[in-house]
């Protein structure tokens, strides 16, 4: 099937209050896969409505954050910014509010700033463009360089600060024909200015905003009647003497073709939808005209055309004859036949390149994300149509829409009363998922196949998903919607291919993406029972990279004017050059004065140092039974780079231990005289020497394995606290069965096969909890408020218990996002 339902989430029926959809129900989907939508909360006793904004993360849709928006009138627009961390809401009273996360928590939002045009309903709203525009080239999907696949398009921001930095702000259009722009200054001040769109102000029932590459803004407006023209205006924003200035100019307008067509002359009196095809494509517009039970959709494009010049003029002035004068003119690209009545439109956000070769390759390889837009109809069905030809590519029949059987059945059904249909829809950022809010306020999540239901061989399906995963890796967007399409048998291949593509990039780009690719592999490995143990390894690897960076950044050069290399780089160089198995011989080569830190700093790092020590011991002790890849830690035994990092950290810890012995990792040894650190360093170095060159990995020899077998009799092997396997929805959706959920109620997710094999490694409920990032024990029933990652389920305390700068530096690494890049959400205190 091209489209199928992944899950639906509905409101619990409460006797007193009821979520009814607001009349112009709106929703918005951010690049971090948060969905915001509105409903009105009706209270029976007081008979009044509260206008609510709800924010969910698509992986935990039941964990809805509902906030009373404080809007006095119904909410007409919701818009996320490019980074997905702020949300604008506007209402029918002219008030615009900007919402941002409190303490970087995805389930805690506050309204910080705003603007208003008193008493004038807002019909269109948009953030100003930040000048970042990519193009995805489908024809280059086999290219090795990410820069060729996803090229940066030259595009100017709507407004720049000194030095070319884009200025943040928003633009809105009101019903009385005003355009208002608010600019956010870096100091938090808001500059607002309002101007009429043209001299003759007229009613604006529908409007949309788009941006041009030159930094201008284009506004399209319609008064709602199909007999009136659709008007276009160019808006230019500037800052003059600390004030915001708006200049507007009229552009060519158009009449919908269905009104000039004699057969349909008065058939569609109202224009119900008016949208630019993309916010950075101001030269293509989609229009929909409707009557009570049917609609027609047209796609128009703005072209430069030559103006024919009469011969008389050409003879008088040869200059005119050479160069034909050009004018801009709207031309119809395509139109549909008569359709059922359209209730909502969703446009693709994937910036796919639309050159002829790209379109041809997309068609040949059946790669359609970004090429289809979604239309929802009053009978409950959804069609995906091609954005240029408007031809149907896929159809989804809702619960109430009957597949066409015979005329009689359809007539009988029409009289049965109003059908459930989508009032608002949004496509995800890769176009692989579609969220719809229906006339009961229920949220439906639809999966959309990248090939629109065409059957492809495994290799091609993998290539499509890989291409989109790479796009998310380069942009930093969340890739949850791609995971909806990954089957367990694809995981191994996808991880390998992703790694191959990553290794083909240049060193600088690899460094930028180094943690993102590990997080991506972890989320893929969660989806198959054979790779589930590797999820733990990838999260441990992220943790190791972060610890290594933090501890190395604490080292200070002894003299300020030291040569080129920082102490951290010199440590790496010396450790890789001197392959001695004796820790003290490696240590002699380092300048110990670079390692001198305050005693309190060293003591505050003990928990992190302990983790390094424990993990090295656990790895070496698990070397003899390395034949079982289901044990976490298995992939580290062949990972030269990670073992090298552990080796460097052991040297640093050894030197710090000379300064302050109490910061050393604590081991429980059987003999008092044994030097545990140097024993572990010796074995770790031998293991590292086996696999330091990636293309020449040798097997560890028998003596090393024998020595590792003796470890459990010399030292107590610690329990490693692995990350819990996450409670999200994604792994429940793989068998393509519809999952029914309820807002505010976590589902009892029992009987999930993958996690049951895994429970051996994860703490059972009632056991002491741990702060995964500070490595502190929180007790069985934590009293501190905690936050958990929406992606990997990692748990940490909200408030820092530490005052030491070094620890603050460690905590800054994951204040906004988890180490895996996921968003934080506040956990209920009773989470144990």
């Amino acid at each position: 099937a091209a489209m199928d339902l992944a899950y639906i989430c509905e409101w619990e029926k409460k006797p007193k209050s009821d979520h009814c959809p607001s009349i112009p129900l709106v929703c918005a989907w951010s690049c971090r896969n948060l969905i915001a939508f509105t409903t009105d909360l009706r209270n029976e006793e007081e008979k009044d409505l509260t206008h609510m904004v709800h924010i969910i993360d698509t992986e935990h849709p039941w964990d809805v954050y509902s906030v009373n928006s404080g809007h006095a009138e119904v909410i007409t627009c919701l818009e996320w910014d490019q980074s997905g961390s702020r949300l604008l809401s506007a209402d029918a009273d002219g008030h615009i509010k900007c919402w941002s996360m409190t303490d970087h928590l995805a389930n805690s939002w506050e309204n910080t700033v705003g603007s208003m045009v008193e008493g004038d309903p807002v019909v269109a709203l948009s953030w100003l463009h930040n000048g970042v525009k990519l193009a995805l080239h489908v024809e280059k999907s086999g290219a090795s360089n990410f820069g060729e696949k996803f090229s940066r398009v030259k595009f100017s921001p709507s407004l720049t600060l000194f030095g070319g930095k884009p200025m943040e702000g928003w633009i809105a259009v009101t019903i009385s024909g005003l355009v208002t722009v608010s600019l956010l200054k870096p100091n938090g001040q808001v500059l607002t200015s309002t101007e009429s769109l043209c001299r003759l102000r007229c009613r604006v029932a529908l409007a949309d905003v788009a941006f041009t590459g030159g930094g201008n803004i284009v506004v399209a407006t319609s008064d709602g009647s199909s007999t009136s023209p659709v008007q276009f205006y160019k808006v230019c924003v500037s800052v003059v003497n600390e004030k915001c200035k708006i200049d507007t100019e009229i552009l060519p307008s158009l009449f919908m073709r269905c009104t000039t067509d004699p057969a349909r002359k008065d058939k569609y009196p109202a224009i119900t939808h008016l949208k630019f095809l993309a916010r950075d494509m101001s030269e293509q517009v989609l229009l929909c005209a409707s009557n009570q039970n049917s609609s027609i959709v047209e796609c128009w494009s703005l072209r430069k055309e030559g103006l024919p010049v009469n011969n008389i003029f050409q003879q008088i002035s040869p200059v005119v004859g050479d160069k034909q004068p050009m004018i801009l003119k709207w031309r119809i690209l395509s139109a549909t036949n008569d359709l059922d009545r359209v209730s909502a439109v969703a446009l693709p956000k994937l910036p796919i390149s639309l050159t002829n070769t790209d379109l041809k390759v997309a068609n040949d390889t059946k790669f359609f994300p970004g090429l289809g837009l979604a239309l929802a109809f009053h009978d409950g069905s959804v069609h995906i149509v091609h954005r240029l030809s408007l031809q149907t590519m896929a159809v989804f029949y809702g619960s109430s829409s009957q597949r066409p059987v015979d005329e009689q059945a359809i007539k009988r059904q029409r009289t049965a009363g109003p059908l459930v249909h989508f009032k608002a829809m949004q496509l995800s950022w890769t176009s692989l998922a579609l969220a719809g809010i229906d006339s009961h306020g229920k949220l439906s999540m639809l999966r959309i196949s990248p090939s629109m239901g065409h059957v492809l061989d495994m290799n091609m399906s993998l290539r499509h998903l890989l291409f989109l995963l790479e796009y998310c890796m380069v942009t930093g967007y969340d890739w949850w919607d791609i995971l909806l399409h990954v089957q367990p048998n694809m995981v191994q291949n996808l991880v390998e291919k992703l790694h191959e593509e990553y290794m083909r990039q240049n060193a600088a780009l690899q460094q930028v993406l180094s943690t993102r690719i590990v997080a991506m592999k972890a989320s893929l490995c969660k989806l198959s029972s054979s790779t589930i143990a590797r999820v733990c390894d990838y999260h441990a690897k992220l943790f190791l990279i972060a610890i290594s960076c933090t501890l190395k950044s604490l080292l200070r050069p002894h003299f300020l004017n030291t040569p080129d290399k920082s102490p951290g780089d010199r440590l790496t160089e010396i450790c890789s050059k001197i392959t001695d198995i004796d820790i003290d011989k490696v240590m002699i080569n380092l300048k110990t004065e670079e390692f001198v830190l305050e005693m309190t700093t060293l003591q505050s790092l003990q928990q992190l140092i302990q983790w390094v020590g424990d993990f090295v011991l656990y790895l070496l002790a698990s070397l003899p039974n390395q034949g079982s890849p289901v044990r976490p830690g298995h992939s580290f035994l062949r990972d030269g780079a990670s073992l090298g990092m552990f080796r460097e950290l052991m040297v640093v810890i050894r030197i710090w231990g000379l300064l302050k012995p109490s910061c050393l990792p604590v081991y429980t040894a059987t003999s008092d005289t044994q030097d545990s650190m140097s024993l572990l360093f010796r074995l770790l170095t031998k293991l590292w020497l086996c696999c330091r060159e990636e293309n020449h990995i040798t097997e560890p020899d028998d003596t090393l394995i024998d020595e590792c077998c003796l470890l459990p009799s010399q030292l107590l092997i610690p329990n490693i606290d692995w990350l819990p396997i996450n409670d999200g929805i994604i792994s429940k959706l793989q068998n393509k069965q519809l999952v029914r959920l309820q807002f505010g109620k976590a589902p009892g997710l029992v009987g999930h096969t993958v996690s049951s094999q895994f429970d051996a490694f994860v703490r059972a409920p009632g056991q002491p909890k741990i702060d995964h990032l500070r490595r502190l024990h929180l007790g069985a029933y934590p009293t501190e408020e905690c936050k958990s990652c929406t992606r990997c389920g990692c748990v940490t305390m909200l408030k820092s218990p530490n005052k030491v700068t070094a620890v603050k530096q460690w905590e800054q690494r994951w204040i906004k996002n988890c180490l895996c890049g996921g968003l934080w959400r506040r956990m209920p205190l009773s989470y144990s």
Side-chain angles (χ1 to χ4, degrees), residues 33 72 81 95-96 183 207 274 280 282 304 326 380 422 440 485 505 517 529 533 607 641 697 726 769 802 806 812:
N33 281 326
D81 71 342
H95 288 254
I96 300 171
L183 305 175
L274 158 65
D280 39 28
S282 56
K304 267 198 172 129
M326 303 296 277
F422 291 137
H440 292 175
H485 297 268
Q505 308 311 311
I517 184 169
S529 50
Q607 277 85 14
I697 294 179
N726 178 341
K769 300 285 184 299
N802 294 313
Q812 279 303 314

Side-chain angles (χ1 to χ4, degrees), residues 453-517:
H454 289 274
V455 180
L456 300 177
D457 61 347
M458 187 61 151
N459 214 2
M460 200 47 115
S461 315
L462 286 174
R463 244 182 71 184
H464 289 350
L465 295 177
L466 189 68
F467 189 49
L468 292 169
L469 281 169
E470 289 165 6
Y471 168 69
C472 288
M473 187 151 68
V474 171
T475 52
Y477 295 160
D478 190 74
W479 56 91
W480 178 88
D481 35 335
I482 304 174
L483 299 180
L484 279 176
H485 297 268
V486 176
Q487 291 303 311
N489 57 350
M490 298 180 178
V491 171
Q492 188 75 32
N493 273 336
L494 268 178
V495 171
E496 282 167 18
K497 287 200 162 79
L498 198 62
H499 184 75
E500 275 168 37
E501 289 297 321
Y502 167 78
M503 293 311 286
R504 288 161 81 179
Q505 308 311 311
N506 62 31
L509 185 58
Q510 281 194 27
Q511 193 175 354
V512 171
L513 303 176
S514 59
T515 52
R516 208 172 282 159
I517 184 169

